Amino acid sequence: MEFAAPWGLLAGLSIPTILAIHMFRRRYQEKPIAGVFLWAEIAPTASVGRRRDRPPITRSLLLELLAAAILTLLIAEPLFPTEDVVEHLVFVLDNSASMSAKDADDTSARDRAIARVEEVVEDVPRCVVTVITTGRQPEVLAGPAASPRETEQALRNYRPLLERHDFSAALLLATQVAGKGKVIFLTDGIDADRPVLPQVAVEALGRPLANVGITSASYIVPPMEPEGARIFLHISNLSDQELHRTLTLRAEGAVIHREKIELARRSRKVLTVPVTGSFEIIEATIDEDAMGVDNRVTLIRPKAALVRITNLLPPGRSRRTVERALRATRVTEAADPATADLVFALPGAHSATHESQWVVEFGGDAKGVDLIGPYMIERANPLAEGIQLDGVVWGGVSQEKTTARPIISAGEFPLFTVAKEAQGLRLRLNIDMQRSNLHKSPAGPLLISNIVERRREQLPQLLRWNLHQGERFSLLPPADTGGRLIGPSGDASRLGAGRPILLTAPAQTGVYTIQFVETDFDQFAVNFLDATESDLSRCSEGAEDAPDTSLYGQVQASYAKPMIEAIAALVVLSVLLYNWYHLVGRRHDV
Amino acid sequence: MAQRDVDQIAQAASLFGLAIPRTALTGAAGENLGTGVGSSLEFQDYREYTPGDDLRHVDWAAFARTDTLMVRLYREEVSPTVEIVLDASASMASDPQKRSLALNLASFFIVLARAHNSRPVLWLAGERVLRHAGDWDRHLDAVIFDATVDLASVLAANRPQFAHRSLRVVISDFLFPHDAETSLQVLSKGAASLALLQILSTEEAQPAPGMARRLVDVETHEYCDIVLSEQAVATYKERLERLKGAVSRAARRIYGAYSCIVSDRSLLEVARQDLYPAGIVEAR
């Protein structure tokens, strides 16, 4: 017996519940009297406590248990297998972009894979089919246990375009679906290093092809030098022959750069193209060849994510140290204290003016202690990333107690602390720079740089605009409201809630737009940049049969359904009538 | 099972006699004056002689004075029919003392009736109403209080043919939902007198507060779960008093006697403390 809704078996918990109710139900000691009518409706029955007792084997209990058992079965929808079984064909289709590469006949491994599936299905007179595509998260393209007709329709949606990825998740899923039957994995090359699953028969349908692809691309705009914008490209010849290509850069509908490239066999050309003009989107293309997806990249101009800074420190070593470090980061701009993202000030001189403002206090105690270590550094905290304090004299340390969380400390003295305030964050460097040598150590500017970078990460904007397929990134939305992601073909999907939102770059290449409250918030581009996958010379044809089986799995084609609904209705009705007669009909006004 | 206490019945019967009402009776010739003319020594009236009259009753002196044959009419002397109606429903045996007292009372009134040269009739009202005009002791000993029908219902359904102008004694607990006046119509119809003896067990008369109980009616098997709190007991007593009051008032309206008897005492004490004050028995 199988169950169409096995979760429905949870309803079986009602059986122990009924037993418990009968066991723990309130029982009174019976007392035979004359004239019970004189006692009726005198007062509501009061609780006399519950006592556990052996469940009475009453007709009511037995009927209720029977009804619960039958209703549980009813909810779980039992299916009784019949003799009618069919073959279950399970296919795994390689979803990597090389499957789409076209050969001289203008056919691809994808086309051959579809044809192969249809051929196998046609050879098996009675079958159901499951088709799974590979990927970081495998997807069921057809099925499970779809009809041949459904499979044929589903295969039209098979468009392999992923970068190189691991197939094992899809193969594992397929073997689970197939039970003990065979799985056919259709790919474009026999990979000797691929882990072999005993049930999986591999059929390679690829053909080695010459290919040139853009294998790396970036759009760089130095934060403080917008005029220095440039495009970096890697163009790789992944064939054993010398090839020529023309690189074209287009922006706003016009060609902004074009050049011919000579590519030696198995070579890579690194190109830097200066960009004159602040183009938001630049498209780089090379001549079409076997694989189209790597002939084109779209790059979005990165935006300057500048941290607004106010330095309220008085002239002196502390102020100079901060200014020097800020200049080195090149991601800051001056702002007034009310709107600044980051304020450097003496202890107690400034309070955060808005929720996202960080206040960094520099100050110790002229009568404080001077320390030379050992220093305790909380390495897990990104504020302490790369900090080395060997040889640093941390002078003028105040001995006042604090409840702030220490990031750097020495013994009982907290030296660098973080505390969340009602508004914003307060960071405290418990130091008198006049009595320290921190400014001479790399740790000084690095600490300030870390503070600036961490604050920059909190800015409500993207920090990266050009992404690979499947690359994970985070986004700090302007408010805690749901947003939308509009894809290159105009299809929209909802963004999750939360701050920050964690996203994965989709597989489809192109430009994506993020919207919040129907307003464009930012854009990012997804590109296919994978030299390994672009190398079509590794593609081959061949087959490896499943080592331990040559049989397909079998599934039940139909199930017998017992008349459980009618039986359940009968039993439940009996319970109701019985309980009504015994518990209501003979009970007097209570 | 508690049975009749013959000694106690005999002792009580030696001290008390049946109180004969002043209203006219009917019955077999006996020592109580009936409504008709009879052969007792108490002169009632004259009337002219008609053929067939007993010549022993001709007043010859009056014939000498008036030359008319006159017949002396004497008040009929009757022995009244005493009918004891015993409720044989299960509630009468809810307590052994109550059962025993009910049997003793029935037996007591049979003895009293016989002491008046009356022929007692025992009506056992169980599932049906059965009439027993003899061999009363055997019938009383065989009574099984197991009927699940209350007295009013069984009387209404069976309509027993009570004797005209009889003395009726009804022994019941009257612990069933009923309208007292309607119930007594059947019992009082044609009776010369009616005595209602309501027997209650101690627990029925004076229930004590206590734990929660499922109170199950011995006749109907209806039940109620209840905590026997002070308040609940007080409410019960109030209802019981209302029930007793209703039976008592209904009895008074038909010039009957009513006595509520708690079964925690002996027959002798009951006769002294309940039956005698209620005028149902009289001292010998």
Side-chain angles (χ1 to χ4, degrees):
Chain A
M1 182 168 63
E2 296 172 25
F3 296 98
W7 284 102
L9 291 173
L10 285 176
L13 292 173
S14 59
I15 291 173
T17 308
I18 290 169
L19 272 173
I21 288 169
H22 279 255
M23 191 179 287
F24 287 98
R25 73 176 181 180
R26 182 178 299 147
R27 301 257 186 86
Y28 292 99
Q29 189 179 344
E30 289 193 357
K31 181 177 174 62
I33 63 159
V36 76
F37 70 101
L38 291 174
W39 291 99
E41 290 180 347
I42 279 183
T45 302
S47 172
V48 294
R50 291 165 196 280
R51 62 189 177 92
R52 194 167 65 83
D53 207 349
R54 192 174 63 83
I57 308 300
T58 60
R59 282 196 200 95
S60 174
L61 172 65
L62 294 176
L63 280 171
E64 284 170 18
L65 290 177
L66 185 62
I70 290 178
L71 285 174
T72 301
L73 285 176
L74 188 65
I75 293 167
E77 297 181 43
L79 302 169
F80 294 90
T82 63
E83 297 295 316
D84 190 13
V85 293
V86 294
E87 305 270 20
H88 186 196
L89 311 183
V90 181
F91 295 93
V92 176
L93 301 184
D94 183 352
N95 208 19
S96 51
S98 59
M99 290 289 287
S100 298
K102 301 269 187 183
D103 59 15
D105 303 333
D106 201 28
T107 61
S108 63
R110 167 201 176 263
D111 302 333
R112 289 187 286 277
I114 291 174
R116 177 65 181 141
V117 171
E118 290 173 346
E119 181 190 1
V120 174
V121 169
E122 201 174 319
D123 284 349
V124 181
R126 298 192 71 229
C127 67
V128 289
V129 185
T130 299
V131 180
I132 295 167
T133 55
T134 64
R136 289 182 181 85
Q137 289 188 329
E139 290 181 12
V140 177
L141 188 69
S147 68
R149 183 181 175 78
E150 290 168 337
T151 306
E152 189 183 336
Q153 290 172 342
L155 286 172
R156 292 183 199 150
N157 298 321
Y158 171 45
R159 292 192 178 79
L161 47 75
L162 297 181
E163 293 177 357
R164 190 170 177 78
H165 56 273
D166 189 1
F167 302 137
S168 40
L171 293 173
L172 196 63
L173 174 63
T175 54
Q176 289 169 353
V177 171
K180 293 179 180 174
K182 182 168 72 172
V183 173
I184 299 177
F185 175 36
L186 300 175
T187 180
D188 59 359
I190 300 291
D191 187 349
D193 298 331
R194 180 185 301 125
V196 176
L197 289 167
Q199 290 169 252
V200 179
V202 183
E203 292 186 28
L205 305 167
R207 290 170 189 168
L209 296 168
N211 186 40
V212 174
I214 300 172
T215 53
S216 183
S218 53
Y219 190 161
I220 294 172
V221 181
M224 309 302 280
E225 302 171 52
E227 66 283 357
R230 54 199 181 274
I231 298 281
F232 281 113
L233 293 169
H234 289 185
I235 299 174
S236 302
N237 179 1
L238 300 159
S239 71
D240 293 324
Q241 52 192 300
E242 190 178 326
L243 293 170
H244 311 277
R245 289 291 185 270
T246 299
L247 170 69
T248 305
L249 301 187
R250 287 185 181 84
E252 297 177 357
V255 175
I256 60 169
H257 178 80
R258 177 171 283 158
E259 69 174 293
K260 287 192 176 297
I261 307 161
E262 299 287 331
L263 292 159
R265 59 184 291 274
R266 299 235 159 246
S267 68
R268 184 180 70 178
K269 199 75 137 187
V270 180
L271 299 171
T272 304
V273 181
V275 176
T276 52
S278 52
F279 301 114
E280 278 300 309
I281 299 174
I282 294 176
E283 186 184 59
T285 56
I286 58 173
D287 304 328
E288 288 295 322
D289 55 15
M291 192 168 170
V293 71
D294 62 356
N295 295 332
R296 182 182 311 107
V297 293
T298 306
L299 297 167
I300 290 182
R301 184 185 180 93
K303 296 169 186 64
L306 298 178
V307 180
R308 291 166 297 174
I309 302 283
T310 297
N311 191 348
L312 298 177
L313 291 169
R317 188 175 285 174
S318 298
R319 185 180 177 94
R320 283 199 302 277
T321 304
V322 169
E323 284 175 345
R324 191 163 58 107
L326 293 179
R327 273 200 303 277
T329 62
R330 302 165 75 98
V331 291
T332 61
E333 62 179 349
D336 62 81
T339 59
D341 301 315
L342 200 55
V343 176
F344 292 90
L346 289 173
H350 180 79
S351 295
T353 54
H354 57 87
E355 197 175 273
S356 56
Q357 190 172 72
W358 292 12
V359 179
V360 185
E361 294 179 338
F362 268 76
D365 183 351
K367 296 177 182 174
V369 296
D370 298 334
L371 303 169
I372 57 167
Y375 299 105
M376 297 279 291
I377 304 172
E378 188 193 325
R379 292 287 176 197
N381 194 305
L383 287 168
E385 192 178 327
I387 301 291
Q388 294 292 336
L389 293 175
D390 298 339
V392 169
V393 177
W394 201 291
V397 175
S398 167
Q399 298 182 47
E400 66 187 60
K401 300 290 182 190
T402 177
T403 56
R405 176 184 170 195
I407 306 298
I408 301 172
S409 58
E412 60 182 316
F413 302 107
L415 306 179
F416 176 40
T417 58
V418 180
K420 189 157 177 55
E421 303 278 286
Q423 271 198 321
L425 206 66
R426 185 172 297 276
L427 298 90
R428 170 80 187 274
L429 276 157
N430 182 8
I431 191 169
D432 182 349
M433 292 294 278
Q434 296 296 336
R435 289 163 54 180
S436 304
N437 64 358
L438 184 65
H439 61 289
K440 291 180 182 173
S441 153
L446 195 55
L447 194 59
I448 291 163
S449 171
N450 283 350
I451 293 169
V452 171
E453 278 303 317
R454 298 294 84 77
R455 181 62 192 88
R456 187 165 172 262
E457 286 173 359
Q458 303 292 317
L459 295 176
Q461 65 178 69
L462 285 174
L463 296 178
R464 299 186 59 209
W465 292 265
N466 297 303
L467 306 162
H468 291 248
Q469 289 178 336
E471 191 173 343
R472 294 182 69 82
F473 64 104
S474 64
L475 162 68
L476 196 71
D480 195 6
T481 53
R484 296 198 310 161
L485 183 66
I486 313 294
S489 52
D491 53 312
S493 57
R494 290 182 66 81
L495 292 174
R499 285 169 66 90
I501 300 172
L502 294 175
L503 296 167
T504 302
Q508 189 182 359
T509 57
V511 175
Y512 289 80
T513 304
I514 297 168
Q515 289 186 337
F516 286 103
V517 202
E518 304 296 327
T519 305
D520 288 356
F521 171 73
D522 212 338
Q523 288 185 312
F524 65 88
V526 176
N527 291 300
F528 177 89
L529 299 164
D530 184 353
T532 313
E533 190 61 29
S534 290
D535 185 359
L536 303 178
S537 63
R538 62 179 173 76
C539 294
S540 61
E541 288 184 288
E544 289 175 359
D545 203 359
D548 71 344
T549 181
S550 58
L551 299 172
Y552 298 116
Q554 291 187 325
V555 293
Q556 201 68 38
S558 63
Y559 291 88
K561 278 193 166 187
M563 293 175 60
I564 195 158
E565 289 92 347
I567 297 168
L570 197 64
V571 172
V572 171
L573 192 63
S574 305
V575 172
L576 290 175
L577 286 173
Y578 185 85
N579 281 344
W580 173 79
Y581 177 72
H582 281 271
L583 304 181
V584 179
R586 301 181 67 172
R587 188 184 168 111
H588 195 291
D589 295 329
V590 177
Chain B
M1 184 180 290
Q3 295 296 327
R4 293 175 301 116
D5 187 338
V6 179
D7 293 340
Q8 203 173 122
I9 293 168
Q11 190 183 356
S14 67
L15 297 172
F16 296 97
L18 199 60
I20 302 298
R22 291 182 182 278
T23 53
L25 303 171
T26 59
E31 62 185 36
N32 296 293
L33 297 174
T35 52
V37 289
S39 57
S40 71
L41 296 177
E42 189 175 344
F43 172 71
Q44 189 177 17
D45 205 350
Y46 287 103
R47 68 167 171 78
E48 284 189 9
Y49 173 81
T50 55
D53 281 341
D54 190 345
L55 289 175
R56 288 176 298 173
H57 293 166
V58 173
D59 190 339
W60 296 110
F63 174 70
R65 288 193 303 272
T66 62
D67 204 23
T68 303
L69 274 175
M70 300 298 290
V71 179
R72 286 176 178 264
L73 297 181
Y74 296 88
R75 177 169 292 186
E76 185 184 25
E77 196 171 68
V78 296
S79 294
T81 304
V82 177
E83 294 180 297
I84 297 120
V85 181
L86 177 60
D87 182 356
S89 66
S91 65
M92 293 295 287
S94 63
D95 178 86
Q97 285 185 323
K98 180 178 173 182
R99 179 183 187 282
S100 177
L101 182 63
L103 290 171
N104 283 338
L105 278 170
S107 190
F108 174 58
F109 279 99
I110 288 169
V111 171
L112 293 189
R114 294 183 71 186
H116 279 270
N117 291 325
S118 174
R119 190 174 175 79
V121 175
L122 175 65
W123 293 92
L124 286 176
E127 296 290 347
R128 294 178 298 138
V129 184
L130 300 175
R131 181 177 185 276
H132 302 290
D135 208 0
W136 306 276
D137 291 345
R138 187 176 65 80
H139 290 301
L140 283 175
D141 290 340
V143 172
I144 300 171
F145 294 94
D146 62 351
T148 55
V149 188
D150 64 67
L151 180 67
S153 302
V154 76
L155 290 177
N158 289 268
R159 293 277 169 186
Q161 296 299 311
F162 292 123
H164 189 59
R165 311 300 293 172
S166 63
L167 303 182
R168 281 177 214 156
V169 179
V170 182
I171 303 168
S172 172
D173 55 11
F174 294 102
L175 289 179
F176 45 88
H178 67 286
D179 175 57
E181 292 195 14
T182 309
S183 303
L184 294 193
Q185 277 178 6
V186 179
L187 288 167
S188 63
K189 191 176 180 185
S193 75
L194 183 68
L196 302 179
L197 309 185
Q198 183 174 21
I199 303 177
L200 300 177
S201 69
T202 312
E203 203 148 9
E204 286 161 358
Q206 293 292 332
M211 301 294 288
R213 290 282 185 275
R214 168 165 292 183
L215 304 179
V216 182
D217 195 289
V218 291
E219 292 174 12
T220 63
H221 303 298
E222 291 171 349
Y223 68 88
C224 69
D225 295 332
I226 196 164
V227 178
L228 295 173
S229 61
E230 298 275 1
Q231 187 188 354
V233 169
T235 308
Y236 166 83
K237 285 181 178 173
E238 187 186 324
R239 291 179 180 180
L240 181 64
E241 287 306 316
R242 280 208 297 272
L243 178 78
K244 286 159 63 178
V247 177
S248 174
R249 277 194 303 277
R252 277 203 305 274
R253 282 200 184 96
I254 56 172
Y255 303 103
Y258 164 83
S259 179
C260 181
I261 302 163
V262 181
S263 63
D264 58 348
R265 290 161 300 151
S266 66
L267 177 64
L268 199 56
E269 288 172 317
V270 168
R272 274 199 192 111
Q273 295 167 12
D274 296 319
L275 303 181
Y276 178 68
I280 298 169
V281 295
E282 59 188 13
R284 285 190 187 275

